[in-house]
């Protein structure tokens, strides 16, 4: 029996070293170690041997079995390496390798980063982020913001009208792409009674296209409504926001302006962060603020009682509550902060530009 065991061992050894593929190795494994192999049946027969031979035969059989196992796995590893190398050389892919060169991790778009910065600053002041639809009714975009039909202020915000057919007829109103985030003021007041403190970021649309205007751009709106709100609160809030965006030494100023939905209305400016009082050290006139010392940022004002009139039944009694609102362009903030001259660059997706932020 011992001879037989040795013979099986050397036969297996020869076959293993002659094997050319991992598939052949698998066949040899079944042939020599499988349940129906010679070695397995020999091992089973050991029980019937006379006691004197049992131990030696069992030991020899187990030893040969272990040898065959280790030769098989050694040869299998060598063949597998060769097969992988061949497959790679032939254009196959080694799926076990990490991606090389490692792909760089992307970053958030400048508009997203700027929007989040504004949201964070406003949330820090106790505001809640609110959103509204980009496809809007004329009522919210214009009428409820005190732009009655035919009002000339509608003309400076010409937009894209959609679904002139069934939807608009069913709603008995025009449907359009909103021209500003201000309609969310009315929607928010309809759904929540005062006090209300919201910041509203979002996409807006206008029939404009040049280096500083795009048919789609982003705005952020602020609205604060409660008893006893004054223009001083507006000024303090804007100061806090703009210092957070442009640096702790900034000052702000408000200039009288007109918006139909605020009274009084202002435009607000931030002190230039590239010069002192409009003059740079190298050249006399500052390029960023054009020598003025101030940079226009957005529009604001005290909510017009006419606007409250549209939501009066929800607790917005113009005799009792006051509010301020402001709006500004997110692209404009990002362009000012990072010295980007052409708005269109932000939307082109060129990684040399958008990869610089975040
Ligand atoms: N919605 C105005 C625009 O797009 C900006 C604006 C002005 C928003 C005054 C306001 C505001 O909330 O009070 O031109």
């Amino acid at each position: 029996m011992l001879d037989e065991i040795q013979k099986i061992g050397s036969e297996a050894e020869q076959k293993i070293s002659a094997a050319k593929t991992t598939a052949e190795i698998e066949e040899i494994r079944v042939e020599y170690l499988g349940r129906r192999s010679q070695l397995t049946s020999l091992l089973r027969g050991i029980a019937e041997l006379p006691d004197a031979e049992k131990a030696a035969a069992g030991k020899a059989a187990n030893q040969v079995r272990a040898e065959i196992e280790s030769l098989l796995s050694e040869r299998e590893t060598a063949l597998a390496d060769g097969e992988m190398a061949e497959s790679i050389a032939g254009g196959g892919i080694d799926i076990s390798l990490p991606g090389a060169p490692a792909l760089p991790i992307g970053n958030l778009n400048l508009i997203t980063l700027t929007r989040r910065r504004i949201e964070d600053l406003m949330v820090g002041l106790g505001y809640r982020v609110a959103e509204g639809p980009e496809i809007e009714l004329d009522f919210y975009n214009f009428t409820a913001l005190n732009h009655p039909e035919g009002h000339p202020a509608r003309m400076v915000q010409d937009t894209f009208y959609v679904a002139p057919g069934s939807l608009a007829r069913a709603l008995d109103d025009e449907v359009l792409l909103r021209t500003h985030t201000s309609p969310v003021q009315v929607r928010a007041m309809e759904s929540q009674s005062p006090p209300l403190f919201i910041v509203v970021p979002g996409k807006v649309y206008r029939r404009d296209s040049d280096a500083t205007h795009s048919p789609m751009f982003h705005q952020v709106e602020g609205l604060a409504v409660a008893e006893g709100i004054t223009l001083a609160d507006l000024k303090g809030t804007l100061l806090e926001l703009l210092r957070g965006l442009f640096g702790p030494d900034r000052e702000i100023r408000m200039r009288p302006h007109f918006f139909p939905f605020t009274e009084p209305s202002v435009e607000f400016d931030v002190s230039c962060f590239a010069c002192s009082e409009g003059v740079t050290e190298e050249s006399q006139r500052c390029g960023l603020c054009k020598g003025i010392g101030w940079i226009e940022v957005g529009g604001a004002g005290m909510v017009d009682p006419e606007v409250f009139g549209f939501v009066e039944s929800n607790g917005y009694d113009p005799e009792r509550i006051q509010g301020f609102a402001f709006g500004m362009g997110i692209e404009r903030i990002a362009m000012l902060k990072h010295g980007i001259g052409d708005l269109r660059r932000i939307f082109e997706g060129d990684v040399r530009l958008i990869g610089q932020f975040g």
Side-chain angles (χ1 to χ4, degrees):
M1 178 166 243
L2 288 179
D3 285 352
E4 235 174 303
I5 294 172
Q6 291 312 329
K7 201 173 133 233
I8 294 171
S10 54
E11 230 180 69
E13 197 179 324
Q14 270 174 22
K15 286 203 182 170
I16 292 168
S17 56
K20 301 241 160 19
T21 64
T22 49
E24 277 178 57
I25 291 290
E26 201 43 45
E27 280 167 25
I28 299 169
R29 191 191 306 280
V30 173
E31 186 181 342
Y32 285 90
L33 304 178
R35 269 193 302 129
R36 287 192 214 137
S37 69
Q38 236 184 318
L39 196 60
T40 306
S41 50
L42 273 177
L43 275 163
R44 271 191 213 118
I46 283 175
E48 276 124 54
L49 288 178
D51 282 352
E53 290 173 32
K54 259 189 199 165
K59 195 174 163 205
N62 278 321
Q63 209 171 348
V64 165
R65 193 183 165 86
E67 263 166 39
I68 296 175
E69 256 164 16
S70 92
L71 287 171
L72 278 169
S73 73
E74 219 171 87
R75 185 79 183 132
E76 185 175 33
T77 311
L79 288 171
D81 284 354
E83 283 169 12
M84 180 65 84
E86 222 171 90
S87 138
I88 291 168
I93 296 168
D94 176 1
I95 55 164
S96 68
L97 282 176
L103 290 173
I105 296 170
N107 58 270
L108 293 172
N109 186 274
L110 180 57
I111 296 303
T112 305
L113 292 166
T114 310
R115 169 175 60 73
R116 289 191 179 177
R117 177 87 184 118
I118 296 168
E119 286 171 5
D120 283 352
L121 288 162
M122 294 305 291
V123 166
L125 291 175
Y127 286 68
R128 186 171 60 80
V129 179
E131 287 184 333
E134 290 168 30
I135 300 173
E136 187 53 286
L137 293 174
D138 177 294
F139 174 77
Y140 291 105
N141 197 80
F142 291 127
T143 310
L145 290 171
N146 203 26
H147 296 66
E149 229 171 284
H151 193 289
R154 286 181 172 225
M155 272 159 31
V156 295
Q157 295 193 3
D158 195 10
T159 184
F160 303 90
Y161 287 80
V162 294
S166 55
L167 178 59
R169 269 197 300 278
L171 296 165
D172 193 26
D173 197 4
E174 299 260 27
V175 178
L176 45 79
L177 298 186
R178 67 178 179 190
T179 57
H180 48 180
T181 42
S182 305
V184 187
Q185 290 187 22
V186 183
R187 286 184 174 274
M189 289 191 284
E190 274 181 351
S191 66
Q192 194 193 315
S193 301
L196 180 69
F197 293 84
I198 52 166
V199 56
V200 185
K203 288 191 174 69
V204 301
Y205 303 84
R206 291 193 198 174
R207 221 174 134 265
D208 278 335
S209 189
D210 60 38
T212 52
H213 298 89
S214 148
M216 183 285 300
F217 62 107
H218 300 78
Q219 282 189 337
V220 61
E221 190 90 7
L223 175 68
V225 188
E227 277 180 41
I229 297 258
T230 71
L231 200 67
D233 297 315
L234 170 63
K235 192 167 185 186
T237 303
L238 291 175
L239 182 63
E240 196 63 24
L241 175 60
L242 295 181
R243 284 188 173 171
L245 290 172
F246 294 111
D249 300 330
R250 300 279 69 77
E251 293 298 337
I252 63 161
R253 72 172 186 185
M254 303 198 291
R255 291 172 285 106
H257 197 75
F258 171 78
F259 295 104
F261 46 98
T262 42
E263 182 60 35
S265 299
V266 300
E267 276 188 332
F268 57 95
D269 302 340
V270 65
S271 58
C272 184
F273 44 89
C275 68
S276 78
E277 286 157 14
V279 178
T280 58
E281 276 171 27
E282 311 87 63
S283 68
Q284 277 301 308
R285 192 162 164 262
C286 171
L288 186 63
C289 67
K290 308 285 180 277
I292 300 165
W294 295 95
I295 301 166
E296 185 188 322
V297 178
M302 299 304 291
V303 178
D304 194 305
E306 290 287 334
V307 176
F308 287 140
F310 285 95
V311 286
E312 196 166 348
S313 61
N314 200 23
Y316 292 87
D317 174 2
E319 297 297 325
R320 200 171 54 78
I321 46 108
Q322 295 75 34
F324 68 71
F326 64 88
M328 57 199 200
I330 298 182
E331 281 81 359
R332 182 166 167 76
I333 302 286
M335 288 167 76
L336 286 170
K337 198 167 161 61
H338 300 287
I340 300 168
D342 189 330
L343 171 81
R344 291 167 293 200
R345 298 285 96 84
I346 297 176
F347 302 121
E348 279 167 355
D350 185 334
V351 289
R352 289 171 301 179
L353 178 88
I354 60 177
Q356 289 178 46
F357 310 100

